[in-house]
Structures are given as C-alpha cells and as structure tokens.
Amino acid sequence: MEKALDSKLAALKKDPCSREFILADAKDADMAFGISSPGMTLDGRTRSLSDFRDQIREIVSQGLVDISLMSASTSELLTIRERIFDSSPVTPAVRANDATDVHVIRGGQYSISPSRPFATATLEHIQAGKSPCTDEERRLGANLGLYSITFNNDVEQDLKTLEAYKAFRLEAEQKHFRHFLRYFILMCRPNCMAFRLRKSRTLSTTISCGFWPECPHPPGPSS
C-alpha cells in the first residue's frame, strides 16, 4: 500500500508551497521514562506496556497519521511480527538514538547533565529485528528513524555529538535507511543554574534529511 508520507513528500518536492503537512504520532516514550512511559489512565492507574501498544494498534488502524514513531522493541513486535503496517498508509519509524539527556530514571540526574551521544538500537535491529541480517531481512522492519541531538553550548561536547551524527549518517546511507533529524539548542551554558530548566529554555526544530526545497513564495502575515 502507498504510504501517506511518501505521497506527501512527493507533493512537497513538486510544489514547495504545497499545504501538505506530515503528522507523526510519537510513541517512543519507553526509551526514556521506563515504567511510567505508557502514561496514566483516566482513573489514575499507570498503563501497562501492553495497553500502550494497543493504543498504537488502534491509531494505525485509523490511518489518520503519517508516521508512527516507536521504540525498536515495539516496532519489532508490531512491524515485523504482527505486520500491522503492511495494509496501512502509516509509515513505521523507530527512534534511532537515545542520547543521555533522555535517560530519565528514578533518582537519576542524567537529564540535567550535558547530553552525550548514545544509541541502544542498531540499524540491523530496527530494520530486521536481529543482527547480523541479510539485505532481504532488512525489508521486514522499519526503514525510517528519528535521530535527535542536543547542542550543549559546549564545543567539546557538541563536537562529539556531531561526530556521532556524522557516523550515523554514513552508516544509514550505506544501509539505505531513511531518517529525519530533531535538534535542540541549549540557550545557556551547561554549568549555569538555568541548565536545570533546559526543557523550557531550548529551541527545537525537526527537519527532513533529504531534498527539501524552500518555498520561493513564503506566506504573508495574514496566512
């Protein structure tokens, strides 16, 4: 089945002024928040991971989003084993890295320290659910990922972040893996008090890492 993401990207490439927009459902919280990641029910109970995945199944069945962003383990179940995306216009995607600033654990302070590059999942596990794998097996899983980086306003730390992203891009190109990039820019130095408020003091942008021409006729103030 044709994926809504691909048709919208084609439309945007053909007409940069197109009003098409891409809607992603972020269900990758289990890579950061652990047992609390599924959220709470209306009666105040913590949802189970099974309930969390049922929500993904329901949203995918509705076909109202373009991308379903998941952890590698959730994608292995839903994309590779259950094949729920085969007859859906929704594109499966996996969080391709989990830098230390999203390591939100009980009693931990990683999220208030300068971000360090890290990735739990390998591209083989995202694409095929195992490593090593054959080129044919790579087609079984997700072939789209989110790569997220945080600039710490520290040249040594940021250089490591950029070097890790460069290595990822080269590997992704070699393995024909598509990705989009989200980056955060810290608005203060890591050692200042405002660093603890980083989530409210950052600029966040998501871009597609591919051909994305700019509109030659930007909308006016009333658009």
Side-chain angles (χ1 to χ4, degrees):
M1 174 178 286
E2 183 180 14
K3 299 300 184 183
L5 173 65
D6 295 331
S7 61
K8 288 184 177 182
L9 287 176
L12 288 166
K13 182 177 180 180
K14 182 178 180 180
D15 179 11
C17 297
S18 171
R19 292 185 177 274
E20 294 281 9
F21 67 94
I22 295 168
L23 182 61
D25 177 41
K27 287 291 191 293
D28 59 336
D30 51 321
M31 296 190 69
F33 298 104
I35 196 170
S36 65
S37 59
M40 307 293 288
T41 62
L42 292 177
D43 58 1
R45 294 181 295 105
T46 299
R47 289 192 181 93
S48 67
L49 185 58
S50 178
D51 293 336
F52 186 65
R53 289 169 172 170
D54 281 341
Q55 286 185 323
I56 300 175
R57 294 183 182 97
E58 182 178 357
I59 292 171
V60 171
S61 69
Q62 294 170 351
L64 299 179
V65 299
D66 304 307
I67 299 172
S68 179
L69 178 64
M70 305 165 282
S71 64
S73 59
T74 295
S75 179
E76 180 180 352
L77 174 65
L78 303 185
T79 308
I80 298 177
R81 299 182 190 176
E82 297 186 11
R83 313 301 309 168
I84 70 170
F85 295 94
D86 287 357
S87 58
S88 169
V90 180
T91 297
V94 169
R95 187 178 182 113
N97 75 315
D98 45 324
T100 58
D101 57 326
V102 300
H103 294 185
V104 184
I105 61 175
R106 183 182 301 174
Q109 296 188 17
Y110 299 113
S111 62
I112 62 172
S113 300
S115 174
R116 304 291 200 282
F118 180 74
T120 298
T122 65
L123 294 189
E124 283 76 16
H125 283 97
I126 293 174
Q127 293 178 311
K130 66 177 185 177
S131 180
C133 65
T134 66
D135 289 342
E136 189 68 25
E137 289 171 327
R138 289 186 187 277
R139 302 177 183 179
L140 297 175
N143 197 44
L144 177 66
L146 165 68
Y147 195 96
S148 180
I149 59 179
T150 298
F151 292 107
N152 300 289
N153 201 16
D154 181 291
V155 65
E156 295 300 327
Q157 299 297 338
D158 292 346
L159 182 59
K160 294 177 182 178
T161 294
L162 290 171
E163 288 174 341
Y165 178 50
K166 177 182 178 181
F168 169 82
R169 291 199 330 266
L170 294 174
E171 182 186 8
E173 182 177 0
Q174 180 185 25
K175 296 174 180 177
H176 307 288
F177 183 78
R178 303 189 300 172
H179 76 284
F180 54 103
L181 172 69
R182 179 177 64 186
Y183 65 88
F184 297 92
I185 303 176
L186 200 64
M187 302 303 288
C188 60
R189 292 186 178 277
N191 60 354
C192 78
M193 289 301 294
F195 187 81
R196 295 178 179 272
L197 303 176
R198 55 176 303 160
K199 295 303 180 182
S200 62
R201 297 179 66 85
T202 57
L203 298 178
S204 172
T205 303
T206 303
I207 61 175
S208 170
C209 297
F211 179 71
W212 199 285
E214 295 183 358
C215 177
H217 307 292
S222 62
S223 299

